[in-house]
Amino acid sequence: MEMWLFSAWDLLAFLTLLSSTVAGEELFDVTVWPEWPTVEAGHALWINCSTNCTHPEKGGIETRNINKAVWKEETHWKAFYLADIAQDSHIICYFTCSGTQKKKSANITVYRPPEQVIFNLQPAWVIVGKNFTLTCHVPNVGPLENLTLTLLQGTEMLHRQTFKTVSKVLQDAWLVFNVTARKEDDKSNFSCYAELDLRPHSEHFFNASSALKMLEIFEPSQNNQMLITIIITTLLLLIFVVTVCLCFVYGQHWRKQRTGGYGVLAAWRIHRNRCV
Ligand SMILES: *[C@@H]1O[C@H](CO)[C@@H](O)[C@H](O)[C@H]1NC(C)=O
Ligand SMILES: *[C@@H]1O[C@H](CO)[C@@H](O)[C@H](O)[C@H]1NC(C)=O
Ligand SMILES: *[C@@H]1O[C@H](CO)[C@@H](O)[C@H](O)[C@H]1NC(C)=O
Ligand SMILES: *[C@@H]1O[C@H](CO)[C@@H](O)[C@H](O)[C@H]1NC(C)=O
Ligand SMILES: *[C@@H]1O[C@H](CO)[C@@H](O)[C@H](O)[C@H]1NC(C)=O
Ligand SMILES: *[C@@H]1O[C@H](CO)[C@@H](O)[C@H](O)[C@H]1NC(C)=O
């Protein structure tokens, strides 16, 4: 009977301990701020890791490839200055409270605003019905998933592209687009417009435009066709005349040579006759 009682007390103590541990775990939270850290390539960022645990024991952040030498702290938070961030990375913020550790992670997004928008139109003049190529190049920009390039004809949108499925390491955006020339495109100004949109996680939105490039359309008209016909006819006539002249000159030359030959032969015959 005494053994039974002891066991019951033991069980009760164990259950109390268990429930208090579970309650302790639920009592505190870890927060990382900003929740969606965004930073320009090569720049620095403050990351604040905090908790609402009443008496936190240990806390901090874990990073890879980032120097976090400087920090500020108080009992419930630790803020780290991350310098010279070159690439996207993962950080883990942690705090220990009554022997239990809790973590919260965040991903740092590194961006490069579009600065240069290089636009080309080739060829600069084109015949109606033929294709011309528009090329837009934005060097050193990212993340490409958040970049949109728009090709404009005047103020009208011709083509728009967002780089959804692109490798993380690429930092150059290229857009090549072919258009068939129409008569009404003559003297049109084409350009390229780049937008890097990092909202709503961050407030950053950048845009940049290329210089204008003017297209000239060449239309083969009736007059032009007449001109071409005249040029070709003249050329053919010229070739004919030259050929006739050459034939005549060579013919004369050949005949002279032949007569000359007879002359020599005749002279020899005369000479032989004389000798005989
Ligand atoms: C900490 O925050 C969490 C969630 O907001 C809450 O459930 C918990 O009670 C809080 N703990 C303290 C000690 O304030
Ligand atoms: C870090 O966050 C805590 C809780 O939100 C705040 O009280 C504290 O001022 C912040 N520290 C810095 C340096 O921003
Ligand atoms: C930026 O790209 C990320 C990753 O693809 C995506 O989750 C996010 O919604 C994009 N933001 C905008 C504004 O397009
Ligand atoms: C555009 O035209 C050029 C030359 O005609 C061709 O080489 C290229 O593949 C075309 N590009 C696209 C995207 O159609
Ligand atoms: C010209 O461009 C159009 C699209 O604008 C394309 O369908 C066509 O195949 C291209 N023609 C040539 C010869 O490249
Ligand atoms: C294109 O731009 C030039 C100079 O910037 C301007 O003179 C011309 O009117 C423009 N063409 C059109 C069709 O807007």
Side-chain angles (χ1 to χ4, degrees), residues 145-146 164 168 197-201:
E145 304 92 286
N146 299 110
K164 284 291 176 210
K168 279 263 175 200
D197 191 352
L198 301 169
R199 300 169 301 185
H201 296 330

Side-chain angles (χ1 to χ4, degrees), residues 123-169:
W125 68 265
V126 67
I127 295 170
V128 170
K130 296 281 180 211
N131 278 4
F132 58 98
T133 306
L134 306 175
T135 311
C136 186
H137 175 211
V138 186
N140 201 28
V141 69
L144 291 193
E145 304 92 286
N146 299 110
L147 182 77
T148 305
L149 294 185
T150 308
L151 295 172
L152 298 165
Q153 177 171 8
T155 53
E156 192 186 313
M157 190 181 87
L158 207 62
H159 183 70
R160 196 170 160 84
Q161 180 165 340
T162 303
F163 297 80
K164 284 291 176 210
T165 53
V166 137
S167 149
K168 279 263 175 200
V169 285

Side-chain angles (χ1 to χ4, degrees), residues 2 9 25 52 57 83-84 96 110 146 158 162 181-182 210 232 242 272:
E2 226 178 37
W9 274 115
E25 265 177 27
N52 66 352
E57 289 144 23
D84 197 20
T96 309
V110 172
N146 299 110
L158 207 62
T162 303
R182 297 168 306 171
S210 73
I232 288 173
V242 167
R272 203 178 58 168

Side-chain angles (χ1 to χ4, degrees), residues 36-261:
W36 306 95
T38 310
V39 64
E40 187 171 347
H43 286 231
L45 180 72
W46 278 98
I47 294 282
N48 188 347
C49 180
S50 58
T51 181
N52 66 352
C53 166
T54 331
H55 302 289
E57 289 144 23
K58 192 170 174 282
I61 64 167
E62 279 167 19
T63 61
R64 232 185 285 165
N65 311 326
I66 303 178
N67 175 19
K68 50 164 172 113
V70 188
W71 74 88
K72 290 186 207 168
E73 64 181 311
E74 266 178 30
T75 326
H76 296 93
W77 57 266
K78 280 196 176 189
F80 296 86
Y81 183 76
L82 308 182
D84 197 20
I85 306 174
Q87 63 199 50
D88 286 3
S89 49
H90 188 70
I91 52 173
I92 294 166
C93 154
Y94 64 90
F95 264 102
T96 309
C97 186
S98 43
T100 311
Q101 192 189 63
K102 271 201 173 176
K103 294 177 180 181
K104 200 58 154 295
S105 65
N107 289 314
I108 300 179
T109 301
V110 172
Y111 67 85
R112 293 158 202 273
E115 275 163 10
Q116 236 186 326
V117 183
I118 305 158
F119 176 65
N120 255 307
L121 185 74
Q122 252 183 343
W125 68 265
V126 67
I127 295 170
V128 170
K130 296 281 180 211
N131 278 4
F132 58 98
T133 306
L134 306 175
T135 311
C136 186
H137 175 211
V138 186
N140 201 28
V141 69
L144 291 193
E145 304 92 286
N146 299 110
L147 182 77
T148 305
L149 294 185
T150 308
L151 295 172
L152 298 165
Q153 177 171 8
T155 53
E156 192 186 313
M157 190 181 87
L158 207 62
H159 183 70
R160 196 170 160 84
Q161 180 165 340
T162 303
F163 297 80
K164 284 291 176 210
T165 53
V166 137
S167 149
K168 279 263 175 200
V169 285
L170 283 182
Q171 285 162 3
D172 267 45
W174 283 92
L175 174 60
V176 180
F177 189 66
N178 284 345
V179 186
T180 308
R182 297 168 306 171
K183 196 178 159 188
E184 57 267 36
D185 296 331
D186 192 30
K187 304 272 189 295
S188 272
N189 291 316
F190 289 83
S191 63
C192 181
Y193 175 65
E195 293 161 272
L196 184 69
D197 191 352
L198 301 169
R199 300 169 301 185
H201 296 330
S202 100
E203 73 276 19
H204 299 297
F205 175 82
F206 305 94
N207 58 29
S209 282
S210 73
L212 296 177
K213 290 278 160 79
M214 201 201 275
L215 180 76
E216 289 201 54
I217 300 286
F218 179 72
E219 200 187 354
S221 66
Q222 210 66 32
N223 283 348
N224 285 329
Q225 270 172 1
M226 279 263 287
L227 195 72
I228 288 167
T229 313
I230 288 169
I231 289 171
I232 288 173
T233 314
T234 314
L235 270 175
L236 284 176
L237 258 172
L238 207 71
I239 287 167
F240 179 73
V241 167
V242 167
T243 312
V244 164
C245 283
L246 280 177
C247 276
F248 182 74
V249 168
Y250 268 99
Q252 284 288 86
H253 191 64
W254 184 70
R255 199 180 312 179
K256 252 187 206 156
Q257 261 187 346
R258 262 172 63 126
T259 341

